[in-house]
Amino acid sequence: MDDLSTIRSEALDAVQAAADLGALEAARVAVLGKKGSVTGLMKTLGGLAPEQRKEFGARVNQLKGEIEAALDARKGSLSASALEARLASEKIDVTLPARPAAEGSLHPIGQVMDEVGAIFGEMGFTWADGPDIEDDWHNFTALNIPPDHPARQMQDTFYLPPRADGTPMVLRTHTSPVQARTMLSKDVQKRLADGGSLRIIVPGRTFRIDSDATHTPMFHQVEGLVIDRTTHMGHLKGCLVDFCRAFFEVDDLPLRFRPSYFPFTEPSAEVDIGCSWKDGELKIGAGDSWLEILGSGMVHPNVIANCGLDPAVYQGFAFGMGIDRIAMLKYGIPDLRAFFDADLRWLRHYGFSALEAVK
């Protein structure tokens, strides 16, 4: 029992003599480890009389606390010294170039969406969106697509289990349901009633059962809608001419409008852009060929009525195009399926810098 003073003196001397954290840990184990001197004293308490055990146990606990405090103080001192030594020995040459870092790329679809949004934004259009899973009414009926229309058939449309109330559900086959949802908005109807107008573009994913070099089951579209009291076909033509010339960056890009049929517009028109083929390479601009680029037309009166507006008061135009398709045409991408292969080599080639400004 009289060894407490000796153990204390030796332990504190060892702690103060420790030159680094490794030596300090060895000193701790020698005193407080499983086979340490203080631990050995604790093990002897069971063989003492109650009075002796109480007195001796208090002295051992006091010794243990004193040694632990000395260990903590020495550890703090050694850690601070080690950090100072490291800071003194490690230097950074700030004149050296930074280490190269992996640089991400913007996907061409995202880039083209931004370009389209920027061009139509300058024309006063705002961005609208809606759900990918639609009910039958918004996807078909509201847009004047009758029950026997081919777009409703299983070979074109992904049908989903109906809701509990029996409402048929589909993966939207176009972004046009957002047009219906927007026109049905009370805020929009109030704005129109007050003499305002509705001008939206609707970029987003769409789904159809189709897959080849120019079609995929999931693809991207952007549609536009203008509704007011006076808009006419001439405004539609001017809007699309300005867009195509700005997007393809050809100031004198020729366009032609061909009569067509869409259930949700009347009259309807396909829009072609001028191009030429030389040695199998497509060049957009003046030439002796035409390339279909989008569909358009004046919004059908039935659609306006289905969306809670009076077709005798309101009219407008709509248009739609494939974002993937115009991306392929502008940036020379030959196969639509590569958009969705998640091939980093392809993305590094066709992708865009995250810092590149949208033109």
Side-chain angles (χ1 to χ4, degrees), residues 16 34 70 116 120 135 153 168 190 239 278 306 309 316 331 348:
Q16 293 301 318
K34 291 183 178 181
V116 170
F120 281 114
D135 59 70
Q153 304 305 312
K190 182 178 184 304
C239 175
K278 185 177 181 180
N306 289 339
L309 299 172
Y331 295 111
R348 292 188 187 103

Side-chain angles (χ1 to χ4, degrees), residues 50-317:
E51 296 80 5
Q52 291 178 312
R53 186 185 309 140
K54 182 177 180 180
E55 178 186 357
F56 187 67
R59 293 174 62 191
V60 172
N61 282 332
Q62 181 180 1
L63 173 60
K64 182 180 178 182
E66 189 176 352
I67 294 173
E68 287 177 341
L71 285 167
D72 289 342
R74 185 59 178 164
K75 183 177 181 180
S77 176
L78 291 174
S79 296
S81 299
L83 178 59
E84 290 180 3
R86 182 179 176 185
L87 292 174
S89 61
E90 295 181 0
K91 296 181 180 179
I92 298 177
D93 187 348
V94 295
T95 64
L96 292 175
R99 292 190 180 96
E103 182 178 351
S105 300
L106 293 179
H107 197 283
I109 290 176
Q111 171 72 13
V112 169
M113 277 191 177
D114 289 343
E115 292 178 14
V116 170
I119 294 170
F120 281 114
E122 293 181 353
M123 299 183 192
F125 287 77
T126 58
W127 190 301
D129 56 23
D132 290 348
I133 298 177
E134 269 293 359
D135 59 70
D136 179 271
W137 191 86
H138 284 96
N139 196 77
F140 294 124
T141 307
L143 302 172
N144 198 37
I145 302 178
D148 58 350
H149 193 278
R152 288 177 177 265
Q153 304 305 312
M154 291 294 293
Q155 67 267 25
D156 294 326
T157 305
F158 288 100
Y159 285 87
L160 303 175
R163 289 176 178 166
D165 61 2
T167 302
M169 303 298 293
V170 300
L171 290 177
R172 66 181 183 184
T173 57
H174 44 191
T175 53
S176 301
V178 182
Q179 298 183 20
R181 289 182 176 276
T182 305
M183 283 190 281
L184 285 164
S185 166
K186 292 182 179 179
D187 292 340
V188 169
Q189 294 195 359
K190 182 178 184 304
R191 186 199 314 161
L192 292 173
D194 292 340
S197 65
L198 172 65
R199 301 171 72 87
I200 59 169
I201 57 167
V202 188
R205 294 175 295 185
T206 54
F207 308 85
R208 295 180 192 174
I209 303 175
D210 206 352
S211 182
D212 56 41
T214 56
H215 299 84
T216 54
M218 190 276 285
F219 55 102
H220 299 81
Q221 283 188 337
V222 59
E223 302 200 14
L225 174 69
V226 173
I227 298 289
D228 58 25
R229 299 169 187 260
T230 59
T231 290
H232 53 72
M233 197 77 178
H235 295 135
L236 167 63
K237 181 177 179 181
C239 175
L240 295 180
V241 168
D242 286 347
F243 166 75
C244 290
R245 289 177 175 175
F247 179 78
F248 290 107
E249 302 178 35
V250 179
D251 292 339
D252 58 350
L253 177 64
L255 277 80
R256 72 177 182 183
F257 289 71
R258 290 180 292 106
S260 185
Y261 167 76
F262 303 108
F264 27 78
T265 54
E266 179 60 36
S268 303
E270 298 275 7
V271 179
D272 301 334
I273 57 174
C275 66
S276 63
W277 294 88
K278 185 177 181 180
D279 299 327
E281 182 178 352
L282 171 67
K283 182 178 180 180
I284 294 174
D288 55 2
S289 297
W290 294 95
L291 186 67
E292 184 271 326
I293 191 69
L294 59 90
S296 64
M298 299 301 294
V299 180
H300 199 291
N302 290 348
V303 176
I304 294 177
N306 289 339
C307 295
L309 299 172
D310 185 353
V313 176
Y314 302 103
Q315 60 189 42
F317 65 77

